[in-house]
Each structure stands twice: as structure tokens, then as C-alpha cells.
Amino acid sequence: MASRKARLVLTSLAVVLGTMFVAAAMILTSTMANSVSGLISDAYSGVDAVVTRESSDGGFEDDTFQPETDGIPHDLIDTVESVDGVDRVAGEVSGQVNAIDPDGKLVGAFQPTIGLNWEANADDDEYIELREGHGPTADDEIAVSAKFITDSGYELGDTVTIYSYTADRADYTIVGVYGLTGDRDSLAGETQVGFTTAAAQRLLTGGEDVYLTLYAYGDVDTDAIAAAVGDDYKVQTGQEASDEAAEGLAVLADVMGYIFLGFGLVAVFVSVFLIINTFTIIVAQRQRELALLRAIGAGRGQVVRSVLTEAVVIGTVAAAIGFGLGILLGWGLSQIVGSSLFDDMPVQLQIPPTTLWALAVGIGVTVLSALIPALKAARVPPVAAMRDAANPPKPLRGITIAGALVAAAGGTLLGLGLTDNLGDGSLTGILVGVGIAFVGVTMLTPILARPIVAGLGVLMSWTFPGRLGKINAGRNPRRTAITASALMIGVALITGIATIVASFKSTMSEVLDLNLNSDLIVSGSQTGANVPSFSPETLAELKELPEVDRVGDVYVDFMGPQVDGSDVALAASEDLETSLEVFGGTVAEGSVTGLQDDSLVINDSVAEDRDLALGDTVEVTFGDGSTMTGRVDAILDDYALTDGWWTSPEQIEHFTLPKPMQAYLDVADDADVAAVQDRVRDVLADEPEVNVANNAEFVDEQSSQLDFLLLSVQILLALAIIIAIIGVVNTLVLSVLERTRELGLLRAVGMTRGQARRMITVESVLICVFGAVLGIGVGVGLGWAVQQALESEGLSSFALPWGLMAIYLIAAVIVGLLAAIAPAARAAKLNVLGAIAYE
């Protein structure tokens, strides 16, 4: 090790990076979970008991607000105050509201705006810190959080328009600005607005004199309070309420940690290829040295132990360095997440004992990767010390047969899953089959290396150095395959996800092109608990535009409706017949003309699943709790724009949100669509939740989160790509050392330094492009399998990300050029006479 420091550094670097990412993932998960728990505990600091409805979900997540089941009556405050030890009780009303900023947009588009009644929190000095002005004393006054001021651009004294699900728009004057304990501007990135209790109840409970939570203070006994309020209510200590509230946010931290852990394990897996390749080359280069040791009496066990000892030392040192860097990375990532997602949340570094697994992984991977080369070293015969022993590549028959069998097994399992022959386990079978097939393809890379490299080399072998570079890249298929496989893994994962994203976009475009007869779509993006919508009056204005021939509108209620006891998403349209013409929907049976109050229209698949026919009746429960006996008056051919249930427009008033959520505009043939789009924007000027887009823009808007996911994956997988690049550099450097005499002879017969550089560069580029081509092929197969598995869920179209695949190939060429710089320079600087005499 000491005599080959550069090789030691290159080998160690892969272990350092893999260990670092695994440790960082574990630290991030633990740190965020602990910090989030501390963050939420602040919300209940000083609270001795918390009373909520036993069955309540907060009123707006899964069902519409029902005062008798979700609310806590005012009289219960007196009941709790009468319990011994209770000094005072505060009733809180809180939930999401919509506030419009000076530009006509929603405040906090990506974080909710929480409305609460000021009186419930104003006396709690451990939570609320008033910074300017005073609390609201009239129903048209509000106090806002400091983050609300930052995000909205409003100032003290300004007027803000606010509305909610249960209340229309009203104007409020900002009379106070407050912060939260710990000198924070928000609790978890949200903006807050404090109202009088009456105003908060109008916005969040429909004006009912009820609360959502009661806070009790004093020397309280939660059991006594529970006995006093009865079984309909849940009573917790402040700490218990904190722990329960923290669980939801802790899930986010866990998910992020698992994502980073997954990419860390990918990095470790990629490192395996680098380490195996390095030790294999090391053993091959030291063959005469090892043979000499065997000739003077070293046993096979001693040779194995010497190689493994080297691996243990490298693994231990590299893993320790990676562990230390992982702590720093985990801390840095926690700071970034806490700052970006939770508004500068205080982060307390946590290093759980499980983080030591990162050390074990780093050391274990290094030792296991060196085991096969160590066993090979032990088999070096002593006679090899007496002659220049040739090291012809091992036959590929064994690994090819094994790889074919593994790939066939994975393909079989994948096929069974895609054809639903595995029943409920089909999706699991598909995913496992893809994984097994991936391993099989990796085992087959040596047999693929020579023909693919030869084919790719045609483009670069028009010069003498190019031809030699092509030959060198294919002369040892195993080495080339292992080196390229590290790059293949990263490219395959990125390509697979990019293929799924492209298929999603293609499916959406196909649905719109095949079904829609509209040119413009009015809709909004779901960024919080509230579903984006606009007013019926705005819809009427859109229908009156002279350049618009037809408008299809959609009202949807998916927070509470049930049919025969099963949850459904219930849709409605002011004119379903016209809307179906715009949507491209067709009536298979019955008629949608002249629908009655109790009429239902369903999709063909719903009729089949529920065994329903024309004239059949079902019991429908609406979002507001009202019921009706609905009759199936029409059945539609299936299409992907709704969940399959339509009711008559007369029932819209019973929806949780009786507002249209989307409108599809069919523009007149002689009208300019872009000009009409501008007109529609003017109509929507007072509708901050929605905007207008053409079909292509609509697809881009709906898939923007997937694009962000793809970008995130590309960034995270950059670590695996970096390790793969190190592998290429390491392989080429060691290969140059291995071929020192050969390079010396080439220089002696006339090869110039420039030709030597170009030869190594061609070899490097071919290895990288080979890995990229394999990765793209495997990634496309992975994406296709997932698309097929999700076809029944609506992902009907398969598409390839041609642009990204081209970028990956170009990137592979650039990576090959960069990876060749050091090895090519070393080859060019060889002393000719010294190289010829090198042993």
C-alpha cells in the first residue's frame, strides 16, 4: 500500500463516498425527526391538557366540516373549567384559509396559510410574541405572523382579502404582527393569520359557535377531564399532543432519509465494482511478486490474508474518513432541509448508534470485494516467479451461462407479473423480476463488451491510435465490463425514471388529444389542503366570451361522498351534454339530456365493477351529509378525465366545495387562441387559485413535480456517476502500469506522445460510452416494465426521453475524455528505455 499511494487514494475514495452518503442519510433522518419533534412541542409549550373530538380529522382532510361531529360546543369550556385543578380553558379554531397578496396571487402558494382565533393563543407568552401593533379586537381586524408579512409584501395597516371553503371573500385590516417562540417567523414554514373568535368561526366552521380544540391550563388531571367530557372526546397531555402532531412531520423526515439512504446504498453498490476491479488488477500486476513469496514458502492462506489485510486497512481508514464526512454532510443537509422546508427550524444534530452501520458497510464491502481477487492471488503457482507468466483473460462461458439463467429467471417473473398470473403479487413480481433481470444483465456485460465496444470503436478507429484504443478496450472483456457496469447502474436508474416521466407526459398528451375538443383549460395546481377552484360567476363570464364556442365545466367533490357506503369522487357539470362534447366523452347507454335531480351518470367500468345497469338505484351521501336515492340514467364509454360518477347540477349545492374546479374552452375556429387566452386571463384576474393554459402548457404544469423529481434523482445519482468516473480513472491508471513494457515498445517503434495520449483517450471514451449505452438500454427496459405494470392505472402510453438519452451519451463522451487525462498523461511521459526494461 505504501509503495503505491496513488492507487491507495483512488481505491479509498470510492469507499469514502459510499460510507459518507450512508452515514449522512442516517444522521439526516434522526436529526430531522428529533428537530421536528422539538419544533411541534413548542406549539403546546405551557399547555397542560388538550381536548379534541375523538373522531375529528380537523374538519377538512377526509370530510366536510360537521359541527355536531367535528366541533366542540362552547358549553364544554365550562365543563372542563369545573374540573379540580383547571385554572383556565381556551377554545381554539384553526384551519387553512386563502389570503390574496397585492399582486392577486395566493399568499404562501407552496405552504398553507393557517387561520386561528387570536384569543386562544394571545395569552400564551411561550408561543406568541407580539412584535408590532396589537391583536384583533374587531371582526374585520387581523394579526399576522412575520412570515406572512415577508411572503405577501403587506405592511401593518394594509387591507387583506381572505376567504375559505365555508366563507366568501372579506377584507381585513392588519393591526398586529407577531412571531413565535425562539424568535421564529413561523412554526413549520406556514404563514399564520389571527382573527377574532367570531371571524375565525365564520371562516372555518361556517359561523357555528364551536371550537376544534380546547387547551386547559393548571394542575390538571387528564383522567378527570376525560371523565367530565365523556367518550366523544380525546384528552391528552401537552406532551402527548406534541408527540402525536410530530409524527406526521416526522414521516417526511423519514422519507427523505430513506431516499438518501437508497442513493447511498447505490453508491456503495457502485463502489463494489471499482474495488473488485482494483484488487483484480493489483493481483495480476503482482503475480510474480506473489509467486516469489509462494516459492520461498508462503502458504496460500498467508497470501489470502495479506491481500485481505490490505483490504481491511483500506476499508477501515476510508470508512472512518467517510463516516466523519458523513456527519458533516448529514448536518449540512439537515440545515438545508430545516431552512427550506420548515422556515429556519432550529436543528439539533443527532448521531444515532445505527450510524455505525455505515462503518460496517464500508469495511465489509471493501473486504468482500477483495475476497475473490485474494483467492485468485493464492492460486498463483510458484513457477510463475521464474518466467513472464501470461495472464490471458478467463473464458466467459461460466459467467455468461449464469447471467443468462439469472436474466431468464428475472424475465420470467416479470412476464408472469405483467400478465397478472401472480394475482395480488403481480406488482411485487414485476419489481422483483426487474431487479433480478438487472443483475442478470450485469453478469452478461462481459460477453457483450467485445462486440459492442468493437461496434462503437468503428467511429473512432480511423487513426492508428484509435484502432489500438479500440483493441485495448476490448482485449479484457471482464475488466471493461466491470468498469462500465459502475457507470451503467447510474445511467440505468436515471434513464428508467426519465422514461417513466416521459410516458406520463405522453399519456396525458394522448388523453387530451384523443378526448378533448377544447383549446384552453382553466385549472389550478394542488399546493395545500384546499382544492383550487373559482366562482360560478367567473364561469358564467367565460361562457359569455364571444370568441368561445363551448365551455365544459367540472365540479368535483372527493371529500366525503359515498355510494352504498363506499367512498367515491362525485362530479357534476352545469350542462353535462355540452361538457361531454368538449371532453370528447360519448354516451354508451341512456341519455344525459334533461337529467333529473336524482339522476346519476356512470362510466362503463364503474357499471361493470358495481354490476349496475340503466334504471338501477344506489344510495348517495353527499359531502354535506345529505343523502338521496340516485338512479342510473346514462352510462358513458370509459375515458380518463373523471372517476366515473356524475350527478345532476341540482346537487352541486351539496358538494363540500360548490365551485367549479376546471373549465375546458372550445375556441371559435376563426379566433386567435393566444388572444383568447389573454382575454381569459383578464376574466380570471380575481381568481388567484387558477390560471389558463393551452393543452401543451397544461401537460407541462401537471408534470412539473415529476420534472423536479427527475432533476433531484439526477443530482443524487451524480455521486454514483462520480464513483464510476473514479473507477474508469483507476482502471486506466492501473492498466497503463500493467502495460508499461508494451507502451515502451510502442514508443520505441515510433509512437509519439500525442498518439499515446489519443490511444488511452479512445479506450476511456469507449468504456464510458459502452457503460452509457448499456445503462440506457437497461433503463429503457426498466421504464417499460413500470409503465406496463401501471397501464391498468392509467399510464397507457410508453414514450422515450430522446433528448435526455442523447445528453447522457454526450455526457459519457465528456466523462471519458476527462477520465483519460491523468492516465493518458502518465502513458505519454513514460521513459522509453525504462519502460522496455520494466518488470
Side-chain angles (χ1 to χ4, degrees):
M1 287 188 294
S3 65
R4 298 173 177 86
K5 296 181 178 61
R7 185 179 66 199
L8 172 65
V9 171
L10 287 171
T11 306
S12 302
L13 194 53
V15 184
V16 169
L17 292 174
T19 305
M20 177 182 71
F21 224 70
V22 173
M26 293 180 174
I27 290 170
L28 171 67
T29 303
S30 180
T31 298
M32 291 306 300
N34 181 73
S35 299
V36 166
S37 178
L39 177 77
I40 296 300
S41 66
D42 290 344
Y44 295 96
S45 59
V47 177
D48 297 297
V50 179
V51 181
T52 56
R53 272 282 186 180
E54 185 68 46
S55 59
S56 175
D57 55 22
F60 295 97
E61 292 184 6
D62 300 318
D63 199 352
T64 186
F65 181 80
Q66 300 291 335
E68 65 276 8
T69 57
D70 290 323
I72 298 174
H74 186 89
D75 294 344
L76 203 70
I77 291 180
D78 297 333
T79 302
V80 177
E81 283 182 335
S82 66
V83 176
D84 290 340
V86 176
D87 295 334
R88 67 182 180 91
V89 177
E92 182 183 72
V93 182
S94 62
Q96 184 170 335
V97 297
N98 292 323
I100 302 175
D101 68 17
D103 295 328
K105 305 297 182 183
L106 289 182
V107 177
F110 297 102
Q111 290 283 6
T113 297
I114 302 299
L116 48 87
N117 59 322
W118 176 258
E119 292 90 339
N121 300 281
D123 294 333
D124 187 359
D125 295 333
E126 297 184 19
Y127 178 59
I128 291 289
E129 299 173 350
L130 191 63
R131 296 180 182 175
E132 296 182 72
H134 58 84
T137 56
D139 291 347
D140 61 350
E141 295 179 345
I142 55 174
V144 300
S145 65
K147 191 171 192 302
F148 183 95
I149 294 294
T150 301
D151 288 359
S152 67
Y154 284 117
E155 296 179 353
L156 194 69
D158 287 344
T159 300
V160 185
T161 300
I162 300 176
Y163 62 99
S164 70
Y165 264 144
T166 59
D168 293 332
R169 299 181 185 190
D171 291 335
Y172 300 85
T173 302
I174 300 176
V175 297
V177 179
Y178 63 91
L180 305 181
T181 180
D183 196 32
R184 284 176 292 156
D185 292 346
S186 76
L187 184 65
E190 83 292 346
T191 56
Q192 294 186 10
V193 180
F195 302 87
T196 62
T197 296
Q201 288 173 334
R202 184 185 74 84
L203 281 163
L204 300 169
T205 73
E208 300 286 342
D209 186 19
V210 295
Y211 301 93
L212 297 177
T213 309
L214 298 185
Y215 299 135
Y217 301 86
D219 184 16
V220 303
D221 181 351
T222 54
D223 290 336
I225 294 177
V229 299
D231 295 337
D232 290 338
Y233 301 93
K234 178 169 62 176
V235 181
Q236 299 172 289
T237 64
Q239 184 61 51
E240 290 171 343
S242 297
D243 294 341
E244 183 177 286
E247 289 178 1
L249 288 178
V251 169
L252 174 61
D254 288 343
V255 169
M256 295 186 64
Y258 292 143
I259 291 172
F260 278 99
L261 180 61
F263 285 104
L265 293 177
V266 169
V268 171
F269 184 54
V270 171
S271 301
V272 169
F273 291 90
L274 190 160
I275 299 167
I276 289 177
N277 222 18
T278 300
F279 276 93
T280 299
I281 296 173
I282 290 172
V283 169
Q285 290 178 352
R286 289 159 53 188
Q287 180 165 296
R288 292 190 67 187
E289 174 188 325
L290 294 170
L292 183 60
L293 290 173
R294 295 276 285 112
I296 62 176
R300 291 189 174 185
Q302 288 177 306
V303 173
V304 170
R305 289 194 294 275
S306 72
V307 176
L308 290 182
T309 299
E310 186 174 347
V312 169
V313 173
I314 291 175
T316 302
V317 173
I321 295 173
F323 186 81
L325 294 175
I327 293 176
L328 295 177
L329 178 61
W331 169 249
L333 290 173
S334 300
Q335 292 285 353
I336 292 172
V337 173
S339 175
S340 59
L341 296 184
F342 298 104
D343 192 36
D344 297 323
M345 174 184 69
V347 174
Q348 302 171 351
L349 179 65
Q350 296 289 309
I351 305 176
T354 53
T355 310
L356 294 175
W357 277 107
L359 283 172
V361 168
I363 297 171
V365 163
T366 307
V367 174
L368 291 176
S369 300
L371 181 59
I372 294 177
L375 295 175
K376 289 181 179 178
R379 291 198 292 268
V380 174
V383 71
M386 306 175 189
R387 57 182 173 83
D388 285 331
N391 287 303
K394 288 182 61 178
L396 302 178
R397 180 181 305 167
I399 193 170
T400 300
I401 294 174
L405 291 175
V406 172
T412 300
L413 190 58
L414 174 61
L416 291 174
L418 292 174
T419 54
D420 290 330
N421 286 318
L422 299 178
D424 294 337
S426 292
L427 182 57
T428 301
I430 290 171
L431 297 177
V432 174
V434 167
I436 295 174
F438 184 82
V439 174
V441 171
T442 304
M443 296 173 68
L444 288 173
T445 49
I447 197 66
L448 299 173
R450 189 165 287 164
I452 294 179
V453 167
L456 295 172
V458 172
L459 302 174
M460 305 179 190
S461 58
W462 45 274
T463 64
F464 174 67
R467 289 194 295 273
L468 286 180
K470 182 185 76 171
I471 293 170
N472 289 335
R475 69 199 291 185
N476 193 326
R478 285 176 180 267
R479 182 181 303 174
T480 299
I482 292 176
T483 306
S485 293
L487 187 61
M488 177 195 75
I489 293 169
V491 174
L493 292 174
I494 294 174
T495 304
I497 294 174
T499 301
I500 296 170
V501 171
S503 298
F504 176 81
K505 290 183 177 181
S506 176
T507 298
M508 286 194 63
S509 297
E510 186 178 86
V511 169
L512 294 179
D513 291 341
L514 292 178
N515 292 293
L516 293 184
N517 295 315
S518 65
D519 301 289
L520 298 172
I521 302 172
V522 175
S523 68
S525 298
Q526 183 81 36
T527 56
N530 288 354
V531 180
S533 62
F534 53 101
S535 70
E537 292 75 20
T538 298
L539 176 62
E541 287 187 58
L542 295 175
K543 292 181 177 181
E544 294 299 323
L545 290 175
E547 303 92 344
V548 175
D549 283 345
R550 297 173 298 178
V551 176
D553 60 276
V554 181
Y555 295 71
V556 182
D557 190 0
F558 49 82
M559 297 201 289
Q562 292 184 332
V563 172
D564 287 342
S566 299
D567 293 334
V568 299
L570 199 59
S573 172
E574 293 181 1
D575 183 353
L576 184 56
E577 186 173 11
T578 299
S579 293
L580 288 177
E581 292 175 359
V582 179
F583 299 156
T586 56
V587 179
E589 300 180 59
S591 173
V592 296
T593 303
L595 294 177
Q596 303 300 309
D597 290 359
D598 59 351
S599 294
L600 291 175
V601 178
I602 61 176
N603 280 7
D604 183 65
S605 58
V606 171
E608 183 177 348
D609 292 342
R610 298 259 186 164
D611 193 23
L612 294 174
L614 289 179
D616 288 350
T617 59
V618 292
E619 290 299 316
V620 179
T621 302
F622 293 98
D624 65 353
S626 61
T627 62
M628 79 168 189
T629 300
R631 182 183 63 255
V632 178
D633 284 343
I635 298 176
L636 309 177
D637 288 325
D638 280 338
Y639 61 105
L641 292 179
T642 71
D643 199 33
W645 290 93
W646 293 84
T647 187
S648 66
E650 285 74 20
Q651 304 300 340
I652 291 175
E653 63 179 350
H654 298 300
F655 282 18
T656 304
L657 181 64
K659 295 181 178 180
M661 295 180 184
Q662 289 182 323
Y664 296 80
L665 282 62
D666 180 18
V667 176
D669 293 338
D670 57 350
D672 182 356
V673 174
V676 177
Q677 189 171 3
D678 291 336
R679 290 283 305 275
V680 174
R681 285 195 184 98
D682 293 337
V683 175
L684 298 176
D686 294 328
E687 299 289 356
E689 298 178 51
V690 295
N691 55 25
V692 60
N694 58 42
N695 290 359
E697 292 169 342
F698 180 74
V699 172
D700 290 338
E701 288 177 2
Q702 299 302 308
S703 59
S704 59
Q705 292 182 346
L706 289 176
D707 290 332
F708 177 76
L709 170 65
L710 179 59
L711 177 61
S712 302
V713 169
Q714 289 173 322
I715 293 173
L716 292 172
L717 281 177
L719 178 65
I721 302 298
I722 291 172
I723 296 176
I725 294 171
I726 295 171
V728 176
V729 174
N730 207 13
T731 298
L732 290 175
V733 168
L734 296 175
S735 181
V736 167
L737 290 173
E738 186 180 52
R739 304 197 315 252
T740 298
R741 293 186 66 186
E742 174 187 317
L743 290 169
L745 288 171
L746 288 171
R747 292 291 312 286
V749 298
M751 174 178 275
T752 65
R753 293 180 186 270
Q755 287 177 318
R757 289 192 186 94
R758 289 194 293 275
M759 178 183 68
I760 299 299
T761 301
V762 168
E763 183 178 352
S764 174
V765 170
L766 283 175
I767 290 173
C768 290
V769 173
F770 171 54
V773 168
L774 277 181
I776 289 173
V778 173
V780 168
L782 173 66
W784 174 82
V786 173
Q787 181 270 324
Q788 291 293 307
L790 298 177
E791 187 172 22
S792 60
E793 303 297 325
L795 193 62
S796 59
S797 179
F798 176 71
L800 294 176
W802 292 106
L804 285 177
M805 290 192 298
I807 290 173
Y808 299 153
L809 285 176
I810 295 171
V813 174
I814 296 174
V815 165
L817 293 173
L818 295 175
I821 292 175
R826 186 181 186 92
K829 291 178 182 178
L830 286 175
N831 179 278
V832 177
L833 294 178
I836 294 174
Y838 179 84
E839 292 185 0

